[in-house]
């Protein structure tokens, strides 16, 4: 298999704990900040270039970054008092003593995969003291991924190194993937072959079949999970929930397959930007978000934190203004030339007034988009627990957990930097399935109390990690825990979630909008916006691409002459082009994929 890394640039844009619980590759072409002077200060502002961005998550910050480099006057409005959206760190208030910083919390551990390209390009352009390549140099390689099994099953360790050369002949790829599945996951050979064949079908399907057939079929049906072994259902079916926070029984086979395909090429280091799994060497805000905000301010970006956007004002077929509410509860008008809605879909739909929907009827469909929960919980330990130098997935856990021991990657010594001096590790866990009953209380996570969630997650991890004579997780090592504060108790039977994630259900592509709208100065930038280049599921990469597309659309609308923000296409090997052409011909003739038997 060719090891050449091919990239395709697209310059345009597309249409109290334990006791209580018992109760990449080379950089892309450097951006010379086309809108900044050699000293880094913004150029003199020109008329028609004022931009209001609502939302300071990765998408909104990307819009601000690209436009501020090109001399636009950008103001970002954010309902929280901090930047970063779901990507931000969440310090645990009052836990730092004697000059140490508060214990770091997160929505979940961060992973920057090798098939990400837009995000790494942005990271390289955010200065960080002592780093030649900016914030990007704060990424460190996670060398392994472990699938920790329950009931005494042997753990499956997958190295983060390339799998080695091979061939892109589809039959040989089936044999390669089937062999890996049988060897690594211990599946029956006929099930391993079935799973491999299904993935190769997606890899060799033409675009018309991907969007015309696989978009409308859910992943569970596509892989024929019914009637198969428990391992097949958990690893190939539930794996999409562990890795991509998607529900296998409803998620689009196209979206799941695109993610799985990217992972395969990434493992082979084809089209990769770097190692296939990287994490930050410090809490996310310290390693990335805070330096980003500082850099954007140096480019002239203004931040209005604590300001929630409440309405958009339509006049003469254009947005003539917006209304925000400030921290004191006062209504504050916003006046700009261009407006970018960069808030998540569950908040964006609240802005679609009848007048707005009459001017842009396509936005009505966004109300049909569904969301899911994928939140983090941190366990603070008196002694580090380094299971593997990387992520641990728990495919047998009913709550689809993934964890990472963070102190092994952080460049500062944990005990002297965060907390009270007695905490030595942050064991960060993501809960991706909030709907299945747990092992302790027999209730789904959304119907548990926060304390019960902490106990359940701890118990589910112990089932997989602890063995006779090897107890990795022990109650006496647990000092305290911290659940994502987006999860709140409402007094009812179920919890509430202030920050859900987009769910790529089968057929949801039809409901997703493009960056541009029929309203000429209204633009959308979030992970629910259609992505044409790299990844298509809720992620930092998708949000970054959406921000770049919105910036490019504004450049067009403003008649700007500055170069567009660069976009990076997902890797598609040329060796499979002939198979895709054959499939497109068969699809147009109403025939199934040649391997779909």
């Amino acid at each position: 298999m060719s090891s050449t890394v091919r990239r395709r640039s697209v310059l345009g844009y597309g249409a109290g704990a334990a006791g209580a619980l018992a109760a990449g590759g080379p950089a892309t072409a450097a951006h010379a900040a086309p809108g900044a002077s050699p000293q880094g200060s913004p150029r003199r502002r020109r008329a028609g270039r004022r931009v209001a961005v609502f939302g300071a998550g990765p998408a909104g910050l990307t819009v601000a970054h690209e436009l501020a480099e090109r001399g636009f006057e950008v103001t970002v409005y954010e309902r929280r008092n901090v930047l970063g959206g779901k990507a931000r760190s969440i310090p645990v208030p009052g836990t730092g003593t004697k000059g140490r910083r508060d214990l770091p919390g997160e929505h979940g551990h961060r992973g920057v995969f090798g098939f990400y390209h837009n995000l790494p390009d942005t990271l390289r352009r955010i200065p960080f003291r002592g780093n030649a390549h900016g914030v990007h140099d704060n990424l460190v390689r996670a060398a392994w991924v472990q699938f920790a099994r329950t009931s005494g099953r042997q753990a499956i360790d997958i190295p983060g190194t390339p799998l080695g050369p091979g061939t892109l002949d589809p039959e040989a790829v089936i044999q390669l993937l089937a062999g890996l599945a049988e060897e690594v996951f211990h599946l029956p050979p006929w099930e391993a072959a079935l799973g491999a064949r299904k993935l190769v079908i997606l890899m060799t399907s033409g675009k018309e079949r991907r969007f015309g057939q696989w978009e409308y079929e859910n992943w569970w049906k596509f892989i024929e999970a019914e009637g198969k072994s428990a391992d097949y259902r958990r690893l190939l079916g539930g794996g999409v929930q562990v890795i991509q926070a998607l529900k296998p029984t409803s998620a689009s086979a196209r979206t799941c397959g695109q993610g799985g395909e990217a992972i395969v090429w990434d493992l082979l280091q084809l089209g990769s930007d770097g190692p296939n799994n990287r994490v930050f060497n410090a809490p996310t805000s310290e390693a990335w978000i805070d330096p980003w905000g500082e850099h954007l301010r140096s480019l002239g970006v203004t931040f209005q934190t604590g300001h929630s956007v409440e309405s958009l004002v339509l006049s003469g077929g254009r947005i003539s203004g917006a209304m925000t509410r400030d921290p004191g509860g006062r209504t504050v008008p916003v006046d700009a030339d261009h407006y970018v809605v960069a808030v998540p879909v569950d908040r964006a739909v609240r802005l679609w007034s009848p007048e707005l929907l009459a001017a842009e009827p396509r936005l009505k469909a966004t109300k049909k988009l569904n969301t899911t929960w994928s939140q983090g919980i941190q366990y603070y330990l008196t002694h580090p627990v380094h299971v593997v130098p990387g992520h641990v997935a728990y495919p047998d856990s009913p709550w689809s957990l993934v964890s990472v021991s963070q102190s092994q990657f952080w460049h500062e010594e944990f005990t002297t930097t965060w907390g009270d001096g007695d905490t030595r590790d942050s064991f960060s866990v993501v809960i991706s399935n909030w709907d299945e009953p747990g092992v302790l209380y027999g209730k789904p996570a959304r119907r548990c109390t926060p304390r019960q969630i902490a106990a359940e997650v701890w118990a589910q991890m112990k089932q997989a990690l602890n063995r006779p004579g090897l107890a990795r997780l022990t109650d006496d090592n647990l000092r305290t825990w911290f659940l994502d504060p987006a999860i709140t108790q409402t007094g009812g039977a179920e919890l509430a979630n202030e920050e859900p994630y987009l769910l790529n259900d089968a057929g949801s592509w039809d409901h997703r909008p493009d960056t541009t709208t029929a309203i000429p100065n209204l633009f959308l930038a979030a992970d629910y916006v259609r992505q044409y280049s790299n990844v298509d599921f809720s992620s930092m990469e998708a949000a970054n691409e959406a921000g770049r597309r919105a910036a490019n659309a504004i450049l067009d609308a403003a008649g700007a002459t500055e170069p567009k923000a660069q976009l990076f296409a997902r890797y598609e090997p040329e060796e499979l082009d002939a198979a895709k052409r054959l499939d497109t011909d068969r699809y147009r003739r109403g025939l199934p994929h040649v391997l779909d038997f």
Side-chain angles (χ1 to χ4, degrees):
M1 181 175 293
S2 169
S3 61
T4 302
V5 176
R6 288 185 287 271
R7 301 181 183 182
R8 293 166 186 163
S9 169
V10 183
L11 296 181
Y13 64 94
L21 290 182
T28 58
H31 289 246
S37 70
Q39 292 76 30
S41 60
R43 288 177 177 170
R44 182 172 58 85
R45 308 299 184 187
R46 300 200 296 272
R49 293 161 70 95
R50 298 173 304 148
V51 181
V53 178
F54 302 111
L61 295 180
T62 299
V63 176
H65 192 159
E66 298 295 344
L67 293 178
E69 281 189 345
R70 292 157 175 81
F72 280 70
E73 182 180 345
V74 183
T75 302
V76 179
Y77 299 84
E78 168 57 44
R79 67 184 179 91
R80 305 180 192 85
N81 291 317
V82 295
L83 309 180
K86 294 186 183 73
R88 75 192 190 281
S89 300
I90 312 170
V92 187
T95 55
T97 64
K98 297 182 179 180
R100 287 178 288 263
R101 302 194 283 275
D102 285 340
L103 289 171
E106 304 270 354
H107 284 279
H109 48 74
R110 305 295 165 207
V112 178
F113 302 109
F115 56 85
Y116 285 8
H117 289 284
N118 296 289
L119 178 63
D121 175 69
T122 295
L123 298 180
R124 293 185 178 98
R125 293 156 50 206
I126 303 171
F128 194 92
R129 180 176 299 176
N131 288 357
H133 302 100
V135 162
H136 189 274
D137 286 351
N138 290 338
L139 293 175
V140 292
R141 177 170 167 257
W144 289 84
V145 173
Q146 181 178 95
F147 285 76
R149 308 302 305 276
T150 61
S151 305
R153 297 286 299 275
Q154 181 180 354
I156 302 168
D157 293 332
I158 301 177
T161 54
L163 296 177
T167 175
L168 282 181
D169 174 77
E171 182 178 353
V173 173
I174 290 177
Q175 295 174 0
L176 169 65
L177 294 175
L180 286 172
E182 183 179 358
E183 178 66 25
V184 175
F185 297 123
H186 308 293
L187 292 175
W190 53 89
E191 290 186 352
L194 172 63
R197 178 166 58 85
K198 291 293 185 177
L199 184 54
V200 173
I201 287 175
L202 289 166
M203 289 177 171
T204 55
S205 288
K207 182 177 179 180
E208 291 183 24
R209 190 184 300 279
R210 289 181 185 229
F211 284 88
Q213 181 176 357
W214 307 136
E215 168 62 23
Y216 299 97
E217 187 165 309
N218 70 58
W219 180 249
W220 195 257
K221 180 180 178 181
F222 176 78
I223 64 171
E224 302 177 30
E226 289 297 329
K228 302 303 186 294
S229 68
D231 277 350
Y232 185 89
R233 296 195 306 272
R234 289 170 181 165
L235 296 170
L236 276 76
V240 300
Q241 191 152 20
V242 171
I243 297 172
Q244 302 178 25
L246 299 170
K247 294 183 182 295
T249 54
S250 65
S252 157
R254 179 191 64 81
T255 296
C256 296
Q258 185 172 314
E261 180 182 354
I263 291 172
V264 170
W265 302 139
D266 200 20
L267 286 170
L268 294 165
Q269 285 291 278
L270 292 170
S272 298
D273 183 84
N276 52 56
N277 190 10
R278 293 163 289 181
V279 296
F280 287 106
N281 64 3
T284 310
S285 288
E286 296 181 23
W288 171 28
I289 301 298
D290 292 345
W292 201 4
E294 181 179 348
H295 179 56
L296 295 182
R297 289 185 181 95
S298 76
L299 293 175
V301 175
T302 300
F303 290 101
Q304 296 287 354
T305 58
H307 285 246
S308 300
V309 58
E310 297 206 329
S311 64
L312 301 171
V313 182
L314 187 70
S315 177
R318 297 174 62 86
I319 302 298
S320 59
M323 303 301 293
T324 66
R325 192 167 298 278
D326 71 7
R330 296 177 294 271
T331 300
V332 180
V334 175
D335 181 36
D337 301 306
H338 312 280
Y339 298 83
V340 182
V341 175
V343 299
V345 65
D346 59 299
R347 294 187 177 274
V349 295
R350 305 175 195 177
L351 300 175
W352 309 153
S353 66
E355 296 77 16
L356 202 69
L357 292 176
E360 176 46 292
R362 291 179 299 172
L363 293 180
K364 294 178 182 178
T366 60
K367 296 185 178 183
K368 298 179 181 180
L369 293 172
N370 294 318
T371 58
T372 187
W373 294 20
S374 182
Q375 257 69 21
I377 183 171
Q378 280 76 46
Y379 295 92
Y380 301 104
L381 311 178
T382 57
H383 301 288
V385 176
H386 297 167
V387 181
V388 292
H391 294 93
V392 180
Y394 303 80
D396 301 319
S397 66
W399 290 3
S400 299
L401 308 176
V402 180
S403 72
V404 65
S405 174
Q406 295 186 303
S407 66
Q408 62 185 316
F409 298 107
W410 291 354
H411 67 95
E412 294 184 275
E413 204 280 321
F414 195 100
T415 308
T416 58
T417 306
W418 298 279
D420 59 4
D422 292 324
T423 303
R424 291 176 171 79
D425 196 7
S426 169
F427 204 73
S428 181
V429 190
V430 168
I431 307 167
S432 293
N433 189 340
W434 291 72
D435 301 312
E436 293 297 322
V439 300
L440 289 183
Y441 304 103
K443 297 189 297 185
R446 65 170 69 233
R447 297 183 66 87
C448 290
T449 66
R451 189 176 297 277
Q452 288 173 334
I453 288 174
E456 272 281 6
V457 172
W458 188 252
Q460 291 179 32
M461 291 192 299
K462 286 199 297 185
Q463 282 186 343
L465 294 180
N466 292 352
R467 294 285 185 272
L470 179 61
R472 290 190 176 100
L473 298 184
T474 59
D475 292 348
D476 59 358
N477 191 26
L478 176 57
R479 299 203 72 227
T480 188
W481 51 269
F482 179 68
L483 179 64
D484 182 347
I487 304 298
T488 58
Q489 291 182 283
T490 61
E494 290 200 0
L495 299 170
N497 185 351
E498 294 185 356
E499 300 189 71
Y501 286 72
L502 172 70
L503 187 60
N504 296 71
D505 286 331
S508 61
W509 180 263
D510 294 342
H511 309 317
R512 294 168 61 182
D514 286 311
T515 295
T516 56
T517 70
I519 302 169
N521 66 337
L522 176 63
F523 307 89
L524 309 178
D527 55 12
Y528 68 92
V529 174
R530 287 181 172 181
Q531 307 298 324
Y532 295 92
S533 299
N534 200 5
V535 301
D536 191 38
F537 53 88
S538 184
S539 62
M540 298 180 292
E541 172 74 357
N544 187 277
E545 180 185 332
R548 289 167 180 254
R549 290 185 180 277
N552 286 346
I554 291 173
L555 290 172
D556 280 344
T561 58
E562 292 87 350
K564 298 286 185 65
Q566 190 172 13
L567 296 172
F568 299 85
R570 66 190 183 93
Y571 176 76
E572 295 189 82
E574 296 174 356
E575 293 88 339
L576 297 182
D577 286 351
K580 292 178 182 178
R581 288 193 296 270
L582 169 64
D583 182 61
T584 296
D585 177 67
R586 290 178 62 85
Y587 179 77
R588 291 173 177 174
R589 290 189 288 141
L591 299 174
H593 190 284
V594 69
L595 296 176
D596 190 14
F597 49 81

